[in-house]
């Protein structure tokens, strides 16, 4: 809770493909926007500058009132974030997931996720470009954190489910995981326990 007793305004981001932003005020989602809706580029990737500005406008929250920022994806994102302008300029519809560049970047992310020392360093470095982008928009919160990719998926599913629930998350990959099983118990969707997970080789 902010020291002045004001509301907790948490900004959520995804800066990969299908980039977007959402704003949560005191636990309630008040605005959510996909970057592609504003750029008119299907599956727009990169830091969602326009979406961040739009969720703040829609909610009436000023950049200075944002108390925390969470971004999905902890490991392996530093190169894309450091080269964000180039990354965002790519047409996602023209990217071949089986091209050597796509496979090399995927392998880099898997390697980083598997090495604790490297992933901690890479995770810290990967937040710096995000902090600069946020500062350009007037958001200067010190509470900026990277969240587990599959946990974010699981949280979204659990928030829409009767509790308790069993949640399955399946993705190409994210933070070195392609498949995970979660128990959403208790009274809140936030009470998630990962029961099992599989690496990128389990990806469909």
């Amino acid at each position: 809770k902010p020291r002045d007793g004001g509301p907790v305004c948490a900004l959520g981001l995804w800066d990969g493909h299908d980039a977007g932003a959402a704003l949560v005020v005191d636990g309630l989602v008040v605005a959510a926007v996909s970057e592609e809706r504003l750029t008119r580029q299907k599956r727009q990737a990169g830091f969602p500058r326009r979406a961040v500005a739009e969720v703040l406008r829609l909610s009436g929250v000023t950049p200075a009132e944002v108390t925390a920022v969470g971004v999905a994806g902890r490991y392996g994102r530093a190169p894309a974030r450091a080269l964000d302008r180039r990354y965002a300029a790519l047409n996602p519809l023209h990217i071949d997931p089986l091209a050597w560049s796509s496979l090399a970047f995927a392998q880099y992310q898997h390697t980083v996720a598997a090495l604790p020392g490297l992933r901690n360093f890479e995770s810290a470095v990967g937040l710096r470009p995000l902090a600069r982008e946020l500062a350009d928009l007037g958001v200067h919160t010190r509470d900026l954190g990277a969240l587990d990719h599959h946990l974010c998926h699981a949280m979204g599913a659990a928030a829409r489910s009767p509790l308790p629930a069993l949640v399955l998350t399946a993705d190409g990959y994210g933070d070195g995981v392609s498949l995970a099983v979660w128990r959403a118990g208790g009274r809140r969707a936030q009470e998630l326990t990962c029961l099992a997970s599989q690496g990128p080789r389990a990806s469909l």
Side-chain angles (χ1 to χ4, degrees):
K1 200 73 171 166
R3 292 180 180 178
D4 62 4
V8 174
C9 300
L11 180 66
L13 306 174
W14 168 239
D15 60 340
H17 58 279
D18 294 320
L23 191 70
V24 178
V25 178
D26 283 342
L28 296 176
V29 177
V30 296
V33 176
S34 180
E35 188 79 352
E36 70 174 26
R37 300 297 183 181
L38 305 172
T39 65
R40 312 309 295 172
Q41 173 63 62
K42 192 68 176 171
R43 304 194 71 204
Q44 177 69 59
F47 183 81
R49 297 169 190 81
R50 297 169 184 82
V52 170
E54 186 64 4
V55 295
L56 292 174
R57 186 191 71 80
L58 289 171
S59 62
V61 172
T62 68
E65 291 176 313
V66 175
T67 50
V69 180
V71 60
R74 294 183 297 175
Y75 312 130
R77 300 289 307 156
R81 288 170 180 164
L83 301 171
D84 182 73
R85 301 288 173 163
R86 290 187 181 182
Y87 178 50
L90 297 174
N91 186 335
L93 301 180
H94 297 164
I95 296 176
D96 180 1
L98 298 181
W100 71 268
S101 55
S102 298
L103 294 174
F105 185 49
Q107 187 56 51
Y108 167 78
Q109 293 185 72
H110 301 331
T111 301
V112 168
L115 300 173
L118 180 58
R119 73 187 184 198
N120 291 339
F121 170 78
E122 201 269 1
S123 180
V125 170
L127 289 177
R128 292 178 184 174
L130 292 178
R132 288 195 295 269
E133 293 285 0
L134 289 165
D136 287 345
L137 294 170
V139 179
H140 296 280
T141 178
R142 294 182 179 179
D143 191 359
L144 168 61
L147 306 171
D148 179 82
H149 186 96
H150 280 261
L151 175 62
C152 292
H153 281 311
M155 194 77 72
R160 301 273 190 278
S161 304
L163 299 178
L166 197 63
V167 177
L168 172 69
T169 58
D171 204 348
Y173 60 87
D175 288 330
V177 173
S178 64
L179 182 73
V181 180
W182 308 77
R183 178 191 294 119
R187 299 179 180 178
R188 300 182 302 166
Q190 293 93 323
E191 297 174 12
L192 282 164
T193 302
C194 185
L195 303 178
S197 65
Q198 293 289 327
R201 292 185 179 274
S203 173
L204 296 176

